[in-house]
Amino acid sequence: MSSEFRYLPSVDRVLSDGRIKQLEETYPFTLLVNLVRQCLEGARLSIAAGNPCPSLNEIVDSVSAQICALENPSLRPVINATGVLLHTNMGRAPLSKESIVAMNAVAKDYCNLEYDLNRGTRGSRHIHIEPVLCQLTGAEAALVVNNNASAVLLGLTALAKRREVIVSRGQAVEIGGGFRIPDIMRQSGAKLIEVGTTNCTYTADYEQAISPRTAVLMHVHSSNFRLMGFTHEVTLEELVVLSKRNNLLAFDDLGSGCFLDTTTFKLEPEPMVQQSIATGTGLVFFSGDKLVGGPQAGIIVGEKQLVDKLKKHPLARAARIDKIRLAGLIATLIHYLKDEAVIKIPIWRMISTPLEEIDQRARLWAQALSGLAQVTEGETMIGGGSLPGSTLPTRLVTISGESERKDRNMAQTLSRRLQCQEIPVIGRISGNVLLLDPRSVLPEEDEAVLHALWNLAAGWKRS
Ligand SMILES: *Cc1c(COP(=O)(O)O)cnc(C)c1O
């Protein structure tokens, strides 16, 4: 055994250190004992690996650092200057002021989540949002759950378990983050029947696959990729006609889901929820926090008799949405009802910002970096599995450092420094330059961005 172990202090010795005694005034003794034990265990492993025994001072430092890490939540706001508007790694859609107010109100106080104020009896949490969703989409009924993955799982489990679901091979997709149509299908107990080929699927392919075991014909938005060249897919209209003719259900997993016509923003068309309902789809599934621009949620709209079955299924209880996100989603949907989505919902504000405005802000950002940056033309991506291959024109702040100090990891260094600011600013790296896109940042955040950029420039000049 290494003699270094002999120098390791006892738990009591560390606990009697003056600085730890001081921590005892703020933190429970049991927490300190646990942290000291964990630090000593770490030291033992380190010695076993051949390192020298840490000093008492180093052990106390380590305990203090652990406490600091525990009480400062690692989850915190960042500024998304990546130029991907719906970034899953950055929490997708930021929320409107009205949504935050609504969430705050029900978070702070009790609310009538499942209480009928007219009758003074138990109520349903669904009734608060269902009328708004029906009004917006033209559907007979609606249900909201935890997220779209659980919405699809619920739909398949409740209505297709031990039956077959036919999906085009080109739509049996992986969305990312572990959501694969074949896996969700297996989890639900439904049997996936893939038809057609990767690039071409025809009505006849579905027709030939229909059997007495078939329950659903399912359409899935390809979300994050696009097939080009020689391709053919059966339209939703054709799928719905086929399902009706064969007494089957038609499901449409829209992924993002959208209420506005994206072509008015010079984007490619993204299928709209109201179109899917008008086509006669039995159930339509989409996310609350993609192009809808609300909090995380899975939204299901469609025929009343189908939605009713879903509401009664035990999985609906397991995947139910909480009062806070429910309140936020309702407030977001009301923006669409009032035809004010484009001026109120952050994601639509970003999409609809004129290029001249982005250009002005990019110049302001570049000025703060005095000489380290230029403004160049670029493209903003929508992200979130919507509009693959469709981008918005933007202006990028291109930070390349000074030419005399070019090193291979310049962009990495710059990026890390921006991420160490009080509010981390996240850009994207292309080649050896760091790019910042003002389109994915709200003007209200510009002050914080400028602060970070001033700090970066000042630190860069000194180093
Ligand atoms: C994003 C997406 C999902 C998953 O939605 P979450 O709200 O992230 O659970 C499911 N299906 C499609 C087609 C998607 O694009």
Side-chain angles (χ1 to χ4, degrees), residues 129-142 301-302:
I129 198 163
E130 195 167 17
V132 187
L133 277 168
C134 292
Q135 199 56 242
L136 275 175
T137 62
E140 288 173 3
V301 293

Side-chain angles (χ1 to χ4, degrees), residues 373 396-401 410-416 418-419 425-436 456:
L396 298 170
V397 177
T398 308
I399 318 177
S400 50
M410 173 90 69
Q412 284 288 352
T413 310
L414 287 160
S415 158
R416 255 197 308 274
L418 265 185
Q419 291 182 22
V425 177
I426 324 275
R428 69 169 192 263
I429 292 174
S430 167
N432 195 17
V433 294
L434 178 63
L435 305 173
L436 303 181
L456 177 73

Side-chain angles (χ1 to χ4, degrees), residues 361 364-366 368 445-455:
R361 292 173 54 212
L364 214 64
W365 290 18
E445 297 173 301
D446 271 2
E447 208 177 295
V449 174
L450 291 173
H451 254 283
L453 297 181
W454 283 322
N455 282 343

Side-chain angles (χ1 to χ4, degrees), residues 12 67 92 103 132 135 140 152 158 165 199 230 232 237 261 277 284-285 303 305 325 337 342 415 459:
D12 285 339
I67 287 212
R92 293 197 185 150
M103 292 167 95
V132 187
Q135 199 56 242
E140 288 173 3
V152 174
V165 178
N199 57 328
F230 179 56
H232 188 273
E237 286 81 355
D261 179 359
I277 290 296
V284 183
F285 306 83
E303 289 170 22
Q305 48 123 351
R325 286 186 290 141
L337 272 189
V342 172
S415 158

